Amino acid sequence: LSNNAPVLQLKHTLGLIDGRHRFNRTEFSVQKRFWLSAFGHIDAEAQAGIVWDAVPFPKLFVPQSNQSLFLSPNTFCLMRPMEFIMDKYVALYATYHLKGLIFNHIPIWNRMKLREVVSFSGVYGGLSPKNIPSAITPGLYVMPDLCGTMDKMPYMEITAGIENILQ
């Protein structure tokens, strides 16, 4: 399949949790590859989602964290697992594969065919009062101690690395 055309996805999930909580979640995403001729390409994805009902925290949106040494698409390398929990969010992911734009000018690295990659990940969201466990929201699970909500600032990361190490 060609990666030139944008890919639009709209997903809505309906469910019932523990026989008590109704669950409605809507997510929308757009993926696109931008070709930059001899300068490589950029794979970009924008996502947005919302949970419409009051649900326990396992059904809320949790950004994916990556605890390995390898770059995984649409993940955050410095974020702890379950650091942020939200019921509405907007996320942007972009990975730029430079295809040797810099390393092709370094003689030894040129023969090794190493390639550069730069990635950006960002997320912004919030948690509405209906999903915060308290006396006025009975039946919701208490969140773990390390979980938090986003304040006024988005969470962003930029990573750089080398690919094609094993050819």
Side-chain angles (χ1 to χ4, degrees), residues 15-25 51 53-62 82 85-87 127 130-133 137-144:
L16 194 63
I17 304 167
D18 296 339
R20 294 180 288 172
H21 300 283
R22 191 177 54 190
F23 176 61
N24 284 306
R25 179 177 178 160
V51 176
D53 301 311
V55 295
F57 78 88
K59 290 296 181 183
L60 298 173
F61 175 72
V62 178
M82 295 183 65
I85 294 180
M86 51 196 86
D87 59 4
L127 189 62
K130 68 182 175 194
N131 283 313
I132 299 173
T137 55
L140 295 183
Y141 304 149
V142 176
M143 292 184 195

Side-chain angles (χ1 to χ4, degrees), residues 68-110:
S68 71
L69 296 173
F70 302 103
L71 182 65
S72 297
N74 302 351
T75 60
F76 295 90
C77 296
L78 299 175
M79 184 184 290
R80 294 186 318 263
M82 295 183 65
E83 184 172 350
F84 298 112
I85 294 180
M86 51 196 86
D87 59 4
K88 53 189 169 291
Y89 72 96
V90 175
L92 177 65
Y93 306 100
T95 305
Y96 181 23
H97 300 270
L98 282 82
K99 301 289 186 187
L101 181 66
I102 298 169
F103 289 169
N104 280 349
H105 300 289
I106 302 172
I108 295 174
W109 290 21
N110 185 17

Side-chain angles (χ1 to χ4, degrees), residues 147-165:
C147 293
T149 59
M150 288 199 149
D151 292 328
K152 307 270 190 262
M153 297 293 293
Y155 183 86
M156 296 181 277
E157 288 183 2
I158 295 177
T159 57
I162 300 171
E163 62 183 356
N164 201 28
I165 294 174

